[in-house]
Amino acid sequence: MKDPLTNRDIDKGEFFYMVKLVKSAVKCYKKKTKKTVGGQKKTYEYNQYLVPLKRSDNLDCSMEVFIIPQDDLSDLVDENGEFKDASGIEDEYESKLAQYKADFEDLEWKHSKLSRTYKELFSKHNKTRRNLQELEEKVKTLESDREKLINALKEERRITEKLKTEQQAFNKPSADLESNKPDDITNLKSKIKEDSKIKNKDFEEDKGDIWTVLRSRLTKKEEEKED
């Protein structure tokens, strides 16, 4: 048999000589403490565990001890205080240890895979965040350009309305002048019309005289030919 503390081979008598068993019970107490968090006083409650000992246990203060639950101790010692055969327990322990190692290796592999996946997702997240920031900047730029365009259109509309108003103001005096002509202008137009009629009449008369002269000349030439 081996000493569980030193892992040395010892016999049963020496084991009981070196190890002292003390029976007690774990007691729980509610303990409260006050702490200031964020400028406010808060009360926290937690369990405090005590293992009462008797003077007859002959344990010195500050002595380090091991506490074994009674159920676990019953697996090691029988009703007569004799140690049970631990070979089966050792085999079970080795089997569980191998299973724990396999589970640990599997967890390490999963952890490594999750770490790579996390790095990839984190990189994609940063890329998406940068793209989002660029899109936000583009949206701000487009909104600014839109405001500038709206202001430019308003200014263009204002200038157009102003030009229309000035054009209307410019055309109005001409219309008034056309509708309110002085008498001398009216008389002048009448005189021009009369002069035009006279010239047309003279032209018609001159035109008639020309034809008369031409006919006279033609008649004279024909008479000369007959002679």
Side-chain angles (χ1 to χ4, degrees):
M1 182 178 296
K2 291 185 178 182
D3 183 358
L5 300 179
T6 62
N7 201 29
R8 294 183 302 168
D9 292 329
I10 56 174
D11 58 20
K12 184 169 63 175
E14 186 179 358
F15 178 78
F16 279 106
Y17 176 77
M18 294 180 61
V19 177
K20 182 177 182 179
L21 298 179
V22 176
K23 186 176 181 180
S24 183
V26 179
K27 294 185 178 181
C28 298
Y29 298 92
K30 294 289 184 180
K31 189 172 182 180
K32 295 182 179 180
T33 181
K34 294 183 179 180
K35 292 184 179 181
T36 302
V37 180
Q40 296 181 353
K41 291 184 178 180
K42 294 185 178 181
T43 301
Y44 296 92
E45 186 177 80
Y46 60 93
N47 290 331
Q48 186 175 23
Y49 303 93
L50 298 177
V51 180
L53 299 174
K54 296 180 292 184
R55 185 186 299 273
S56 59
D57 294 333
N58 295 325
L59 295 175
D60 298 332
C61 295
S62 302
M63 180 183 291
E64 294 183 355
V65 296
F66 291 93
I67 299 176
I68 301 176
Q70 186 173 355
D71 293 340
D72 295 343
L73 186 63
S74 62
D75 294 335
L76 300 175
V77 181
D78 59 16
E79 296 178 354
N80 299 323
E82 299 289 338
F83 274 92
K84 297 179 180 179
D85 184 9
S87 59
I89 298 176
E90 185 176 358
D91 293 339
E92 183 180 358
Y93 169 78
E94 293 293 338
S95 176
K96 289 184 177 180
L97 181 61
Q99 183 63 40
Y100 291 153
K101 287 182 178 180
D103 293 342
F104 180 75
E105 291 176 356
D106 183 61
L107 289 174
E108 278 190 330
W109 178 81
K110 289 181 179 179
H111 175 265
S112 177
K113 184 178 180 180
L114 288 174
S115 296
R116 290 194 300 270
T117 304
Y118 169 77
K119 290 179 180 179
E120 293 175 358
L121 291 176
F122 187 74
S123 177
K124 290 181 180 179
H125 168 72
N126 287 335
K127 185 177 180 180
T128 302
R129 183 171 55 83
R130 288 193 298 269
N131 292 336
L132 180 61
Q133 290 177 348
E134 292 177 358
L135 290 175
E136 288 177 350
E137 292 296 328
K138 289 182 180 179
V139 169
K140 291 180 181 179
T141 302
L142 290 174
E143 288 180 350
S144 177
D145 294 342
R146 177 176 173 272
E147 291 295 329
K148 291 179 181 179
L149 181 59
I150 290 174
N151 293 332
L153 289 174
K154 288 181 179 179
E155 182 65 18
E156 184 69 20
R157 187 175 299 171
R158 186 187 66 80
I159 294 174
T160 302
E161 293 296 330
K162 183 179 179 181
L163 291 175
K164 286 182 179 180
T165 303
E166 292 177 353
Q167 184 67 29
Q168 291 175 356
F170 177 78
N171 293 335
K172 187 175 181 181
S174 299
D176 294 341
L177 181 62
E178 187 69 23
S179 60
N180 299 318
K181 292 181 179 179
D183 294 339
D184 54 350
I185 295 177
T186 304
N187 295 333
L188 180 61
K189 289 184 69 176
S190 298
K191 185 176 180 181
I192 291 172
K193 289 181 180 179
E194 291 295 331
D195 292 342
S196 178
K197 289 180 180 180
I198 294 171
K199 287 181 180 181
N200 289 334
K201 184 177 180 182
D202 293 340
F203 176 76
E204 292 294 334
E205 290 178 354
D206 292 340
K207 183 179 178 181
D209 293 341
I210 291 171
W211 282 109
T212 302
V213 172
L214 289 175
R215 282 198 300 270
S216 176
R217 288 181 179 180
L218 289 173
T219 303
K220 187 176 180 180
K221 286 182 178 182
E222 289 177 357
E223 290 177 352
E224 289 177 354
K225 286 180 180 181
E226 290 178 357
D227 293 339

